[in-house]
Amino acid sequence: MIAAIWAWLTSPESWSGSDGIGARLLQHLGYSALVVAIAAAIGVPLGLWVGHTGRGKWLVSAANAARAVPTLGLLFALALWVGPFIPGKAAFLVPSVIALVLLAIPPILAGTYAGVEAVDPAARDAARGMGMRPAQVLWRVELPCALPLLWSGVRSAVLQVIATATIAAYIGLGGLGRFLIDGLAAGNYVQTAGGAVLVSALALVVDGVFALAQKVIVSPGLTGGGPAGSGRWGRPRVRREIVLAPGKPGEASGVVPTTSA
Amino acid sequence: MIRFDAVTKEYPGGSVAVDGLTLTIPTGEVTVLVGPSGCGKTTSLRMINRMIEPTRGLITIDGTSVLDLDAATLRRGIGYVIQHAGLFPHRTVLENIATVPRLLGWDKGRARTAAMDWLERVGLSDELAHRYPAQLSGGQQQRVGVARALAADPPILLMDEPFSAVDPVVRQQLQAELLRLQAELQKTIVFVTHDIDEALLLGNQVAVMRVGGRLAQVDSPQDLLARPVDDFVADFLGRDRGIRSLSFTGMPRLPLHSERTLALGERPEQGSPRWMLVVEEGQPLGWVEPERLGSGAVELSDLNRSGVVAAISASPREALDAALSSPTGRGVIVDETGEFLGTVRASDVIALLEAERATS
């Protein structure tokens, strides 16, 4: 079985053509990117607003509760209700995108909100007290400090969307889900299993890319790392100063090194 | 000059944080607001830069009401230091210090130059410039907080319990640094603390506030200790007021006694006094009892270091402490470089103080 899956995954025929692995992979990535982009465009500003103003916290709870709705059921419902009003191929695309966006918003919203919420109140107070306007506090302090949690919200949304985008194939769309659905329908379990492997691999690779991106966009000051090239933590600085106290053994009398804090 | 004129801050629900505060904060001096928690001292401070808006009354800076100025513009012209420093964790030390200059629109180069300058002036090494706040100790963070507040050289500095979250040793260093900086800069500083000793040490003027946001007394540290207006102020000043007031009294010329000294490795002669002072290259190291020397020669391990050493320029309190803490009852007095000058007895200090009091 494993050998058969490996053979399918590595054969050039499986990769070529408009229904080959290459094309399906790109479709899958395309759907996922579109969905995460829309979800981020909604979830990030909303999360920033809730975190910055402290208002509308119920939105975050409601979004989290909405995670209980099964995406597959939602997809069918949307396809039946909304589909007939949309012309052409979009009749299938729009319900899938909506269902997946609803899946992706909660982690992004919750991550963004939690990130802003977790900003040190003293830093926020100092920012205001030094004369930053509310928008400057948001962009220069709250958003950069919220990035680690915001970004992990995005990463978890990306993982979920890539894994769940397979269901779009149920209502006739492409993507890697086709291999699973068609494989099941045709009893081609090699193809089904191969599709599952591809989805997992794609999710892992994309998550890896996002993890690397995190290193670039998140300040090292927030992740405990030092500035590039330093790699060491602050040493207490030793300074010699006159201290009016008897000397210590082995040192010039009356002068003891004091650690300046 | 900052003036509070019948300023009241009431919160919805009727709780009163500050009640009819009238206070003049002179330019170029340190005014400390001190009082128990809930006395409205922080609220009063935060009303100066409009972090909190007064309900009634007028706050003016050099005659202009703070409410007539745009809040953000006002704040950029006033240094602000808070308890936990509140450094921006995602920015390096240098970027933190350059915050206000950048907000004021200075170009990057000028802001960086100013930031480097202030980093040094608050006693930090330029090695720290590119570290992040999480890599600094609490004391270092607070110094960066002070540098950040001073970076655009504002005439006024608001400090809200800036040293209360660091350990006592570091706090003392920071207080000394602040006094040194202030001697140089002569800013108008409003300093909030709940620690009366800190207030007496730092303030040119100390305003004691009581719970309910009312001002109890404003005076110089000396006058506060000498003439508390009521029991609340007297209690808040605490015990040991007589001793503590010696920190602020000028020291008359001390009558110094000479001492027979020994150097390390030296053997005392027969018939030496019970205690002798060990001095090496002019610097006092400690006392020894010649009779108890094990090997006969003075070694570091023979030294008694219990005595505190006071500088000749120190306050009567320090001179007295030197005498009282010394195993011989004779306090060691040194000059500014730590060189041994002579010893002083507690009775000498007391006699001087009493003579002083009799004539004043």
Side-chain angles (χ1 to χ4, degrees):
Chain A
M1 182 73 180
I2 291 170
I5 295 169
W6 183 250
W8 180 76
L9 282 173
T10 49
S11 98
E13 294 109 82
S14 332
W15 283 81
S16 60
S18 63
D19 56 356
I21 295 174
R24 294 288 185 224
L25 209 57
L26 284 178
Q27 280 174 341
H28 201 96
L29 262 180
Y31 292 145
S32 303
L34 176 69
V35 165
V36 173
I38 295 173
I42 298 168
V44 171
L46 212 55
L48 288 177
W49 178 76
V50 175
H52 180 73
T53 62
R55 278 181 288 178
K57 287 182 190 171
W58 61 270
L59 275 168
V60 181
S61 324
N64 271 324
R67 284 171 147 169
V69 176
T71 304
L72 188 58
L74 185 66
L75 175 63
F76 286 143
L78 284 167
L80 289 172
W81 292 334
V82 185
F85 301 102
I86 301 167
K89 205 189 161 208
F92 298 106
L93 182 62
V94 171
S96 319
V97 169
I98 294 177
L100 290 171
V101 164
L102 289 176
L103 175 77
I105 285 176
I108 295 177
L109 175 62
T112 307
Y113 162 71
V116 178
E117 176 89 320
V119 175
D120 179 9
R124 200 181 276 142
D125 185 63
R128 224 159 67 78
M130 285 190 298
M132 286 195 194
R133 299 182 191 284
Q136 289 172 323
V137 176
L138 180 65
W139 291 111
R140 300 189 186 190
V141 179
E142 289 176 333
L143 179 62
C145 291
L147 271 178
L149 284 174
L150 186 159
W151 198 246
S152 61
V154 170
R155 280 173 69 178
S156 107
V158 165
L159 281 176
Q160 285 186 39
V161 166
I162 289 179
T164 317
T166 46
I167 62 165
Y170 262 119
I171 57 167
L173 284 180
L176 292 172
R178 284 256 68 83
F179 294 125
L180 280 93
I181 310 283
D182 296 351
L184 276 175
N188 183 349
Y189 298 118
V190 168
Q191 194 186 319
T192 307
V197 168
L198 284 170
V199 172
S200 318
L202 180 64
L204 288 176
V205 169
V206 172
D207 191 51
V209 171
F210 272 69
L212 285 177
Q214 183 155 6
K215 287 197 196 295
V216 179
I217 64 167
V218 173
S219 158
L222 296 168
T223 46
S230 98
R232 64 191 157 84
W233 287 67
R235 270 178 314 166
R237 179 166 150 252
V238 174
R239 204 174 48 155
R240 298 193 84 82
E241 66 177 31
I242 303 292
V243 171
L244 297 177
K248 289 184 178 170
E251 282 167 2
S253 51
V255 181
V256 293
T258 50
T259 308
S260 71
Chain B
M1 186 173 75
I2 306 170
R3 272 196 59 82
F4 282 77
D5 203 350
V7 174
T8 293
K9 176 63 190 180
E10 245 176 61
Y11 284 103
S15 73
V16 178
V18 177
D19 191 0
L21 177 67
T22 297
L23 177 68
T24 300
I25 293 163
T27 302
E29 293 192 355
V30 182
T31 295
V32 180
L33 306 180
V34 65
S37 50
C39 72
K41 53 191 190 294
T42 292
T43 307
S44 302
L45 177 104
R46 288 165 69 90
M47 285 193 287
I48 297 172
N49 65 351
R50 291 188 59 186
M51 294 295 279
I52 296 175
E53 311 247 316
T55 315
R56 280 188 296 283
L58 189 64
I59 299 172
T60 56
I61 297 176
D62 297 330
T64 309
S65 165
V66 294
L67 296 179
D68 290 345
L69 298 165
D70 166 63
T73 311
L74 171 77
R75 291 173 192 152
R76 288 172 195 177
I78 299 178
Y80 187 56
V81 187
I82 55 177
Q83 188 175 359
H84 296 285
L87 300 183
F88 304 137
H90 61 296
R91 292 190 176 176
T92 62
V93 165
L94 204 63
E95 290 163 348
N96 263 286
I97 299 176
T99 303
V100 179
R102 295 292 286 154
L103 284 171
L104 291 172
W106 298 14
D107 65 63
K108 255 201 172 115
R110 185 176 165 216
R112 282 176 69 93
T113 311
M116 282 307 280
D117 183 39
W118 281 106
L119 186 66
E120 192 190 316
R121 289 176 90 169
V122 298
L124 291 174
S125 146
D126 53 12
E127 277 173 43
L128 300 183
H130 301 289
R131 301 263 170 86
Y132 287 91
Q135 298 168 298
L136 306 183
S137 71
Q140 288 172 328
Q141 290 190 18
Q142 209 48 264
R143 280 169 198 257
V144 174
V146 172
R148 184 174 67 170
L150 288 168
D153 211 14
I156 298 172
L157 197 55
L158 305 182
M159 308 184 80
D160 187 5
E161 306 218 18
F163 307 148
S164 61
V166 293
D167 69 68
V169 175
V170 175
R171 186 180 314 145
Q172 271 188 3
Q173 290 175 357
L174 291 172
Q175 289 166 342
E177 293 273 338
L178 181 64
L179 286 172
R180 182 184 60 76
L181 268 178
Q182 172 63 0
E184 217 178 282
L185 304 171
Q186 287 165 15
K187 301 286 181 190
T188 306
I189 299 181
V190 187
F191 192 106
V192 161
T193 180
H194 58 262
D195 175 356
I196 184 68
D197 288 319
E198 186 169 65
L200 295 172
L201 173 71
L202 298 177
N204 300 107
Q205 164 177 277
V206 176
V208 183
M209 298 182 70
R210 66 175 92 235
V211 176
R214 269 195 296 256
L215 186 62
Q217 184 173 0
V218 195
D219 254 319
S220 67
Q222 295 93 310
D223 290 345
L224 207 59
L225 285 165
R227 286 180 288 277
V229 289
D230 59 16
D231 284 347
F232 168 77
V233 177
D235 286 348
F236 193 74
L237 288 167
R239 292 172 185 279
D240 312 327
R241 290 202 287 282
I243 298 289
R244 278 152 59 197
S245 68
L246 295 181
S247 300
F248 307 104
T249 316
M251 185 71 225
R253 176 172 288 274
L254 283 167
L256 294 179
H257 303 278
S258 57
E259 286 292 333
R260 290 183 55 187
T261 62
L262 282 172
L264 284 177
E266 201 178 325
R267 285 168 195 277
E269 303 159 13
Q270 282 298 104
S272 295
R274 176 154 175 242
W275 286 95
M276 290 179 80
L277 188 68
V278 178
V279 175
E280 189 78 10
E281 290 170 13
Q283 313 263 338
L285 299 187
W287 294 92
V288 285
E289 289 176 278
E291 282 176 23
R292 294 202 181 180
L293 290 177
S295 61
V298 180
E299 288 175 37
L300 280 169
S301 58
D302 297 318
L303 295 178
N304 178 313
R305 304 161 194 276
S306 61
V308 177
V309 176
I312 185 74
S313 57
S315 66
R317 183 176 177 169
E318 286 165 86
L320 200 55
D321 193 43
L324 294 175
S325 62
S326 164
T328 63
R330 307 194 293 274
V332 176
I333 304 294
V334 296
D335 70 8
E336 298 312 319
T337 63
E339 190 115 346
F340 175 65
L341 293 176
T343 55
V344 67
R345 288 167 196 279
S347 56
D348 300 334
V349 181
I350 301 287
L352 276 170
L353 289 168
E354 291 196 326
E356 186 95 335
R357 182 167 288 197
T359 58
S360 67

